[in-house]
Amino acid sequence: DPGALPSGRPCVSKRGRTKAAQAPHKPVENQIDLESLRLSSFESLENDASRGICSQCGHSRKYYCHECVLLTPGVAAPDVALPFTVDIVRHPKEKSSKSSAIPLQLLSKGVKLHTFPDLPVFPHDETLLLFPSESSSDARETDWTGITHVVVVDCTWFQTRPILKHASLAGLRCVRIQDRGSRFWRYCHKAENIPGVVSTTEAIYFLLRDYFDAQHRQSYDGRYDDMLWFFVFFFKLISARSQER
């Protein structure tokens, strides 16, 4: 998944593709604690054993159509309320079928997908860019007053430069998350034992958790956990299949 970028430590394979670290069976520190998550039931996913036909493109898909970003018939996804719009900018050469970010738009009306270079004009004073620049601020120490948009770049490390130079993103204030471990299943050998390499979905979830800590004094109440609904379902599915081998 190209989403290793937001945490600041991408992993680039020999073919130049960025993938997040750590196979499901190899735990590292500061990963998402799956047992503590307050997730909606997976019943509609578990009952959807067969592939469905996308109502828009007519192709056979399982769980959701990654091209049209629509659920297949019979799948009922949770709806997460977000404190700001999460604008995900994807590179046109990245395969949507392999992105952890695509299904996020199915989990929240606050997630918008954009394909570079067709980007909207973001309100400069109300927008943050999730990117570990030298001037980026820690999300837990950031002043979130008036922030209505957070832009997340979903691409390989080599593709970031032209994207960040886009007129819609140039000059935006940057925010970063702390190094954390990933549970993403697309393994990259160069990411082994390197902290902070996470998928786009994990990066956005960690950002929301850091935002909550910055804004609230009480303990986290699980309000953003369903942003990991598809991610955790696929993680457990792949882990189970791996153990059967």
Side-chain angles (χ1 to χ4, degrees):
D1 182 72
L5 298 178
S7 62
R9 297 179 184 274
C11 175
V12 183
S13 67
K14 291 182 179 179
R15 293 184 180 181
R17 293 182 179 177
T18 305
K19 297 182 180 180
Q22 307 301 343
H25 64 277
K26 187 169 185 177
V28 295
E29 294 182 357
N30 298 321
Q31 289 179 326
I32 295 170
D33 182 4
L34 301 184
E35 300 305 319
S36 68
L37 295 175
R38 302 178 185 180
L39 297 171
S40 297
S41 171
F42 292 134
E43 183 177 359
S44 67
L45 294 176
E46 294 168 341
N47 292 339
D48 186 39
S50 62
R51 302 174 72 91
I53 301 300
C54 175
S55 61
Q56 183 165 310
C57 68
H59 286 95
S60 176
R61 305 294 189 193
K62 196 164 188 178
Y63 307 122
Y64 64 90
C65 179
H66 55 82
E67 294 291 344
C68 303
V69 196
L70 292 172
L71 296 169
T72 53
V75 175
D79 185 12
V80 183
L82 299 182
F84 40 73
T85 299
V86 175
D87 293 277
I88 301 174
V89 177
R90 305 192 65 255
H91 195 279
K93 291 186 178 181
E94 290 300 323
K95 292 183 178 181
S96 58
S97 60
K98 293 187 176 181
S99 173
S100 73
I102 293 295
L104 293 181
Q105 185 167 289
L106 298 171
L107 298 175
S108 175
K109 298 180 180 66
V111 175
K112 306 298 180 185
L113 296 172
H114 311 282
T115 302
F116 177 80
D118 186 17
L119 306 183
V121 177
F122 300 106
H124 191 276
D125 294 335
E126 301 175 12
T127 305
L128 294 176
L129 174 64
L130 180 57
F131 191 79
S133 67
E134 293 183 359
S135 61
S136 62
S137 61
D138 187 321
R140 297 172 300 180
E141 301 173 357
T142 296
D143 181 4
W144 290 91
T145 304
I147 298 301
T148 60
H149 293 263
V150 174
V151 179
V152 181
V153 179
D154 183 50
C155 68
T156 68
W157 187 256
F158 296 115
Q159 295 165 341
T160 56
R161 182 167 295 182
I163 291 180
L164 296 181
K165 287 184 177 180
H166 192 283
S168 294
L169 304 184
L172 291 178
R173 290 181 293 159
C174 293
V175 64
R176 67 180 183 277
I177 58 176
Q178 293 297 301
D179 285 347
R180 290 176 169 103
S182 176
R183 289 187 178 272
F184 200 45
W185 46 89
R186 293 199 175 101
Y187 179 74
C188 178
H189 71 284
K190 288 189 177 182
E192 187 172 5
N193 299 322
I194 299 177
V197 181
V198 297
S199 67
T200 300
T201 292
E202 290 171 302
I204 292 172
Y205 175 73
F206 288 136
L207 176 72
L208 291 168
R209 288 293 306 269
D210 287 349
Y211 165 85
F212 183 91
D213 291 342
Q215 296 293 103
H216 303 279
R217 294 183 179 180
Q218 69 267 31
S219 299
Y220 175 65
D221 56 10
R223 66 182 64 182
Y224 305 127
D225 288 1
D226 270 336
M227 292 296 287
L228 297 170
W229 192 66
F230 276 113
F231 184 92
V232 173
F233 175 77
F234 290 136
F235 174 87
K236 291 185 175 182
L237 188 66
I238 293 170
S239 295
R241 290 176 179 176
S242 177
Q243 293 174 2
E244 292 174 358
R245 293 176 182 175

